[in-house]
Amino acid sequence: MTTAVAPTGTVRGDKRAERSAKKRKGIRSPYPTWFYIPAAVLFLVFFAVPTFASFYFSLTRWTLFTTQFIGFDNFVQFFQDPALSQAFVNTFIYGFVTSAAKVVLGLALALLLTSPILGRGYLRAVVFFPVLVSTIGVGLTFKALLDPFHGPVNAVLGFLHLPQPGWYTDPNLALLTIAGVDIWKGVGIATLIFMAGIVAIPSEYFEAARVDGAHAWAVFRNITLPLVRPAMGTVIILSLIGGLRSFDLIWAMTNGGPGFSSDVIASVIYKEYQAGFFGLSTAGNVILFVVVTAVMWPVSWFLNRREAEL
Amino acid sequence: MTARRFARKYLIGIIAILVSFVVFLLPFAFIVLQAAKDPREAGLMGFSFPTQWQFFQNLVDVLQTNDYQVVWAFINTVVITVFSVAIMVVLAAMVGYLLQRKKSRWNPVVNFFVLAALIVPPAVVPTIWVLQGVGLFKTIPGMVLIEATFGLAFAVLLFRAFVATIPRELDEAAIIDGAGSMRLFFQVILPLLRPVVVTVIVVQSVFVFNDFQGPLYFLPGSDTPTLQLGLYNFQSQSVSQFNLLFMYMLLITIPPLIMYIFFNRQIVAGMTSGAVKG
């Protein structure tokens, strides 16, 4: 810090003069910059340092005590191993499926729960409650409910003479089943945000539309949908970040199986860590970092731009 | 017209309530029923009433498993939650307050890092390396600091949005009355932030309480378990005791449930003000 004084000396000098002038008059800034410091220390030590260190460690064979520099071998291995590259694809599928479903279902539920229907308070409470419940608990409960042999869901399907799929034992279905449970658990938060967005729309717009004799669909398309866009941006961003990073539910339900069919990058990171491949695990982290940033940066840019236009 | 509106209100409402029963309440009913069965019946995973209710017996059994491991896990989890959320609230309030009130050249930097911390997934193994470096790996204080750090960004966003609603005139009045910057923040501003403080406490403590990934990486081994880790390990250790597994689940669902019942309105208000406007 002190070494940087020389080139910016004049600017600093001006500020210092200004500050000492204020001091002479007895006015000191009531907002001391050191308020940033405690949070900054935590952030630097436990977040920034590990994040920057991960770029180096991802290029090494690492045992936590010794490192051996091996260049991009970890990344090459990641993308050549079919099990690992499947996780890469799965991460995108999982993130986009859960996010899209939360937007559509969340908006539909929010429309329902802001219209005058019977039992609205109860419905709002019950939709939001799963958000608060332990993900591991939800995962294990649905594992029992969807059990292919004894589970109640397949018992009902069998009773109705419908096919009884192996929800999380069928490799083609496992990832989507978990995504479905994720949507069940997380749709409450999307609904809540959409509800806030809809309630914030001035009621004059709806009244004007009613006077003009607009149908429900026209009102939705021309008033609700455009004006609820900021809320939609928030829902998309939150659910995408959560979906791309998701781990708990997948780990509780399938451990990434059967085979590697429901593995995502986050579960691969844990598996490689567990097996002692710390370098490879950290490379997974760097890939997840790149994936999340590469998706979120354009998405948030696009959403913010549209918002500004309105 | 009135007939249509009547139909809309009641018919759709009744359908929605019925659907909500199947979709949202039955899974919870399943947990309660399973928790009251004997091991054999619970293992069948049927959706039926237990032939013999042994709810209390299962409760005692699950508490006693592995030398009262659940009780220890409960204590650990509560300690981690209380301390990490306390740190989060004070530090994030300071940052949010300063970001909103003072225009300095640090603002863009801080804003950038808040956004980055929301988006970037934590680098887990290097974090373990750092924790080992400072001697806090596999310790409760280490876990507290990690949870506090990971929750900071979201809390800052909520605080920043809320500080904007507190008029600056209050600051000026306090300053004229001779309050220093510390007194201004801790005795004038922080009490006014109370609604959002409650929101942050509720939202983040539910999050920390339910966190699985953090303890999985940073508290491995069974000497300092948390509830979520304990539930997961319980599931892999005792395959034949589904009744106890579901009793465990029921137990760890109760604290968030109580939180929700007490702070329902608060959660909704705080989440929306922070999430939509921030």
Side-chain angles (χ1 to χ4, degrees), chain A residues 1 12 15 29-36 38-39 42-43 45-47 49-51 53-54 57 62 64 112 115-119 122-130 132-134 136-137 140-145 147 150-152 184 187 189 192-193 196 231 234 241 245 247-248 251-252 255 266 269-270 273 278 281-282 285 288-289 292-293 296, chain B residues 8-10 12-14 16-17 20-21 23-25 27-28 30-31 44-45 47 87 91 94-95 97-99 101-102 105-107 110 113 117-132 145-146 149-150 152 168 171 175 181-182 184-185 206 210 212-213 216-217 228 231-232 235 246 249 252 256-257 260 267-268 271-272 275-276:
Chain A
M1 274 299 189
R12 285 215 158 183
K15 279 220 169 138
S29 168
Y31 311 119
T33 310
W34 72 260
F35 270 26
Y36 283 140
L42 274 189
F43 177 81
V45 173
F46 296 113
F47 195 85
V49 167
T51 302
S54 69
F57 286 123
W62 185 25
L64 277 181
L112 184 71
S115 65
I117 57 160
L118 191 72
Y122 152 82
L123 287 169
R124 285 183 180 181
V126 88
V127 168
F128 190 69
F129 187 63
L132 301 171
V133 178
S134 136
I136 297 298
L140 297 178
T141 304
F142 273 90
K143 210 176 153 182
L145 285 170
D147 189 284
H150 316 291
W184 178 87
V187 76
I189 218 147
L192 179 66
I193 296 170
T234 309
I241 293 177
R245 283 160 59 161
F247 170 78
D248 297 10
W251 198 251
N255 288 8
I269 292 171
Y270 183 67
Y273 157 77
F278 297 134
S281 173
T282 307
N285 243 128
L288 185 62
F289 170 88
V292 174
T293 319
M296 293 321 299
Chain B
R8 261 187 72 134
K9 184 174 175 185
Y10 288 97
I12 298 180
I14 287 166
I17 290 170
S20 81
F21 261 91
V23 175
F24 289 105
L25 289 190
F28 288 110
F30 182 69
I31 298 178
L44 296 176
M45 307 223 238
F47 207 118
I87 294 174
L91 300 195
M94 288 163 83
V95 173
Y97 163 68
L98 209 60
L99 264 181
R101 281 293 198 259
K102 187 178 192 175
R105 61 207 156 106
W106 288 103
N107 285 15
V110 176
F113 281 123
L118 272 182
I119 293 177
V120 171
V124 278
V125 191
T127 309
I128 293 175
W129 170 73
V130 168
L131 279 172
Q132 276 184 333
L145 293 176
I146 291 290
T149 309
F150 290 174
L152 272 179
R168 255 173 201 273
D171 299 23
I175 295 162
S181 48
M182 290 289 276
L184 171 61
F185 177 70
V206 166
N210 286 333
F212 170 68
Q213 204 171 3
L216 184 69
Y217 278 111
Q228 307 301 326
L231 174 63
Y232 183 76
Q235 169 261 175
F246 280 91
M249 262 182 240
I252 69 176
L257 178 67
Y260 185 50
I267 299 174
V268 175
M271 286 298 293
T272 49
V276 179

Side-chain angles (χ1 to χ4, degrees), chain A residues 14-97:
Chain A
D14 286 351
K15 279 220 169 138
R16 201 169 288 165
E18 199 178 293
R19 210 175 294 160
S20 60
K22 272 189 183 172
K23 224 175 238 178
R24 248 173 283 132
K25 274 188 262 169
I27 310 164
R28 278 170 65 195
S29 168
Y31 311 119
T33 310
W34 72 260
F35 270 26
Y36 283 140
I37 291 176
V41 168
L42 274 189
F43 177 81
L44 282 177
V45 173
F46 296 113
F47 195 85
V49 167
T51 302
F52 284 109
S54 69
F55 293 109
Y56 169 70
F57 286 123
S58 66
L59 303 174
T60 64
R61 191 170 287 131
W62 185 25
T63 64
L64 277 181
F65 302 104
T66 60
T67 54
Q68 184 196 348
F69 192 81
I70 53 167
F72 286 96
D73 281 8
N74 286 325
F75 293 94
V76 172
Q77 192 181 342
F78 196 97
F79 286 104
Q80 277 181 348
D81 188 331
L84 300 185
S85 50
Q86 162 127 47
F88 186 78
V89 178
N90 284 349
T91 305
F92 282 97
I93 297 176
Y94 190 87
F96 286 108
V97 167

Side-chain angles (χ1 to χ4, degrees), chain A residues 180-192:
Chain A
V181 178
D182 190 321
I183 294 159
W184 178 87
K185 183 171 160 36
V187 76
I189 218 147
T191 308
L192 179 66

Side-chain angles (χ1 to χ4, degrees), chain B residues 75-87:
Chain B
I75 295 170
N76 285 334
T77 308
V78 169
V79 167
I80 292 170
T81 308
V82 168
F83 282 93
S84 64
V85 173
I87 294 174

Side-chain angles (χ1 to χ4, degrees), chain A residues 244-263:
Chain A
L244 294 172
R245 283 160 59 161
S246 134
F247 170 78
D248 297 10
L249 193 64
I250 291 168
W251 198 251
M253 287 186 72
T254 62
N255 288 8
F260 305 98
S261 58
S262 63
D263 254 329

